[in-house]
Amino acid sequence: MISKKLEKAVNEQIQKETYSAYLYLSMAAYFAAQNLDGFANWFYVQNQEETYHAMKLHRYLIERGGEVELMAIEKPPKNFESPLKAFQAALEHERFISKSIHELVDKATEEGDHPLVSFLKWYVDEQVEEEASAEKIIAQLELIEGYKPGLYHLDKELAARVYTPPAEEEE
Ligand code: OFO
């Protein structure tokens, strides 16, 4: 059974992942309003991924005999100034999430909760990917530097992203 202290920390992480989903939903709406449907699609997929991140923790906490306590979700911003600024904000947020996951691993390690440390490894690896994909799009947007045909082309490319639920490990 998970300790009360770690139960609280996991609930806080669930809140952060849910906020990530909410933030990316707001970014998707920002792009959709500008008819940049490919960028919007990328963030709608990101929203689904974040919901999965929150749900994976939610199910795990229950499995460990912990109590899920849903917390209030802050209102996300709705104006991001430019596609580049939006992706920079997304990257900054992902770095914050990575730090939060690492702190959670540290807390689980301090308590000797090996199952939680092992479970969180998936999130540690996922964060490397999350940061890398935002960094790549930022680099592409910097190359384009407001050149509209480039933006149009990138939008078409991002339209191809589809949400693929990760294969769940065997029960
Ligand atoms: Fe974007 O990885 Fe979860 O929050």
Side-chain angles (χ1 to χ4, degrees):
M1 190 163 176
I2 197 162
S3 74
K4 280 288 157 197
K5 192 175 157 200
L6 289 176
E7 176 191 271
K8 182 172 179 285
V10 171
N11 272 314
E12 283 165 1
Q13 191 62 37
I14 292 172
Q15 181 193 36
K16 287 174 191 156
E17 300 292 343
T18 308
Y19 176 78
S20 303
Y22 217 36
L23 173 66
Y24 296 148
L25 196 55
S26 183
M27 288 180 174
Y30 164 78
F31 283 110
Q34 297 175 65
N35 298 309
L36 287 168
D37 294 343
F39 282 91
N41 173 63
W42 195 91
F43 278 105
Y44 281 125
V45 171
Q46 199 62 15
N47 163 268
Q48 287 175 286
E49 284 206 353
E50 298 301 350
T51 303
Y52 176 83
H53 296 172
M55 280 310 299
K56 191 176 169 77
L57 284 161
H58 180 119
R59 285 193 299 265
Y60 180 77
L61 193 51
I62 292 170
E63 199 182 350
R64 290 290 309 280
E67 195 181 349
V68 169
E69 186 177 357
L70 298 182
M71 289 180 263
I73 307 300
E74 205 186 310
K75 184 182 192 295
K78 69 176 181 129
N79 247 318
F80 300 95
E81 293 178 55
S82 70
L84 179 59
K85 288 260 168 64
F87 273 92
Q88 284 168 338
L91 176 60
E92 194 185 322
H93 182 69
E94 285 306 323
R95 286 178 176 157
F96 162 75
I97 293 293
S98 298
K99 189 167 174 280
S100 175
I101 292 285
H102 298 164
E103 285 167 0
L104 190 49
V105 172
D106 290 343
K107 280 181 194 159
T109 306
E110 273 164 32
E111 282 201 25
D113 189 330
H114 297 277
L116 182 56
V117 173
S118 168
F119 172 79
L120 290 172
K121 189 185 174 299
W122 183 88
Y123 286 84
V124 172
D125 297 341
E126 175 73 4
Q127 281 312 118
V128 173
E129 206 183 289
E130 292 272 280
E131 287 188 30
S133 55
E135 278 164 3
K136 188 172 180 188
I137 297 169
I138 287 171
Q140 289 170 332
L141 284 167
E142 281 170 348
L143 272 178
I144 292 166
E145 272 187 32
Y147 176 65
K148 290 207 172 133
L151 196 64
Y152 181 79
H153 185 78
L154 186 54
D155 188 63
K156 292 279 162 259
E157 205 176 296
L158 298 183
R161 186 182 190 200
V162 268
Y163 176 64
T164 323
E168 290 288 343
E169 304 83 40
E170 282 171 32
E171 297 294 318

